[in-house]
Amino acid sequence: MGRLCAGRVAIVTGAGRGLGREYALMLAEQGSKVVVNDLGSTAAGEGADLSPAQEVVDEIRRAGGEAIMNGSDVSNWAGAKALIDAAIDAFGRLDVLINNAGILRDRMMVNMTEAEWDAVIKVHLKGTFAPSHHAAQYWRQETKKQGAPVSARLINTSSASGLFGNVGQSNYGAAKAGIAAFTIISAMELRQYGITVNAIAPRAQTRMTEGLRERTEEEIKRRNPRWVAPIVVWLASEESKDVTGRVFEAGDGILKVAEGWHAGPGIDPVEDPNELGPQVAKLMQEARPNADIWGRDIVS
């Protein structure tokens, strides 16, 4: 059997641990040349340690694959550009960008500081946009150069917290909802160049989720990040050329297509707000309930 991503060059951000590590390893198993990007900070985004990323590179090389380590800060404009350039300089091309880097600064909204908000939005949202922008510019130029679309893949990381909400994560959830919207819009804009754009909302046991609740050994096995990696690797391959603008929930025993906002029940416009009470009450009766989301452990 041939390897699904043979000859393709992929960048994985946040690839030193957890989900990103599994993506990088499985991509290499499937023949991809991998740029392992990670600052090596804590789950809260503090400090730096490049050794986890280097360990992933060493593991890929021991298995006969090709990989390089990169410590660029993807939430920095110049750092994001340097990351894209590093892949092209090392391997002569770029086919796949997987935006996976992230941090947590969980706190109830009324207690959240400006710094806690800004840090999470920067790493997740700008850390997705900045490398995507520079990669898309490269792919657009390649399209013009070869006179035909490329076969490029942009894969982002959303979360159930962004899709459905989660108490204590207004910063993280807002960023992840933004990434889902960014994915859909970018898919519309980039399709003409042969670039597909999709996102994953993973359910996995990582250092960002392991302290949220007690889990059984069986539950932890179901949430192994390796269960998320197959859909990411498939989306990175040329086989996925007809799938774009989608968000997939993956891990913990499921693989689903997430379906976003849709128009619910409605009424004709009401001019007098004093008349709205009974009308809104009727709408609430007809609308789908959202009670099932409260209290769920849905962080990824």
Side-chain angles (χ1 to χ4, degrees):
M1 181 182 294
R3 294 193 291 177
L4 193 61
C5 294
R8 289 173 75 73
V9 175
I11 293 171
V12 185
T13 72
R17 300 179 177 92
L19 287 160
R21 177 181 181 275
E22 294 301 327
Y23 300 164
L25 293 176
M26 192 171 288
L27 281 164
E29 289 173 3
Q30 293 298 320
S32 179
K33 302 172 184 179
V34 186
V35 179
V36 179
N37 165 264
D38 204 308
L39 279 175
S41 62
T42 67
E46 299 165 340
D49 178 6
L50 300 181
S51 60
Q54 187 59 54
E55 289 169 6
V56 176
V57 169
D58 293 343
E59 186 169 348
I60 290 172
R61 289 175 176 172
R62 284 195 299 270
E66 295 184 59
I68 62 169
M69 186 271 290
N70 178 274
S72 295
D73 180 354
V74 295
S75 68
N76 175 278
W77 193 252
K81 177 65 162 60
L83 170 61
I84 303 305
D85 291 344
I88 299 165
D89 291 344
F91 299 120
R93 59 185 294 164
L94 175 65
D95 302 290
V96 182
L97 170 61
I98 300 173
N99 291 308
N100 171 71
I103 65 171
L104 283 180
R105 299 277 180 90
D106 288 359
R107 198 176 300 277
M108 299 298 281
M109 189 271 288
V110 295
N111 296 320
M112 187 173 294
T113 67
E114 181 180 14
E116 288 166 340
W117 175 272
D118 288 348
V120 170
I121 296 298
K122 181 182 181 186
V123 172
H124 288 277
L125 205 47
K126 187 176 180 182
T128 295
F129 165 66
S132 297
H133 167 84
H134 295 301
Q137 280 201 329
Y138 163 73
W139 288 324
R140 183 176 64 174
Q141 289 301 318
E142 287 298 296
T143 298
K144 293 178 179 178
K145 186 186 303 183
Q146 65 190 28
V150 294
S151 181
R153 306 288 179 262
L154 179 56
I155 303 168
N156 300 320
T157 306
S158 185
S159 168
S161 292
L163 301 179
F164 308 117
N166 200 31
V167 172
Q169 293 192 315
S170 60
N171 51 2
Y172 179 81
K176 290 306 191 181
I179 289 170
F182 173 81
T183 296
I184 294 167
I185 296 166
S186 296
M188 297 173 182
E189 295 179 355
L190 299 178
R191 189 166 196 164
Q192 62 182 311
Y193 306 115
I195 307 165
T196 66
V197 190
N198 293 286
I200 303 296
R203 299 184 183 186
Q205 187 82 352
T206 69
R207 62 180 181 154
M208 291 175 67
T209 62
E210 59 188 4
L212 292 177
R213 66 163 61 171
E214 291 291 327
R215 298 188 188 279
T216 67
E217 186 174 333
E218 181 60 32
E219 287 173 330
I220 292 172
K221 287 180 180 179
R222 283 163 54 95
R223 292 174 64 87
N224 189 308
R226 194 160 179 83
W227 289 108
V228 184
I231 182 61
V232 174
V233 173
W234 184 83
L235 287 171
S237 75
E238 295 201 53
E239 282 191 10
S240 66
K241 62 183 176 63
D242 296 322
V243 179
T244 192
R246 293 291 190 169
V247 179
F248 293 86
E249 291 189 86
D252 198 16
I254 61 98
L255 177 60
K256 297 180 180 180
V257 178
E259 297 181 342
W261 290 101
H262 67 283
I267 59 172
D268 292 334
V270 175
E271 186 174 4
D272 184 352
N274 293 289
E275 299 175 1
L276 269 177
Q279 302 284 356
V280 173
K282 183 173 182 295
L283 287 177
M284 293 303 97
Q285 289 177 346
E286 296 174 353
R288 295 191 303 180
N290 64 1
D292 62 320
I293 70 172
W294 303 114
R296 291 172 60 197
D297 170 18
I298 54 180
V299 64
S300 65

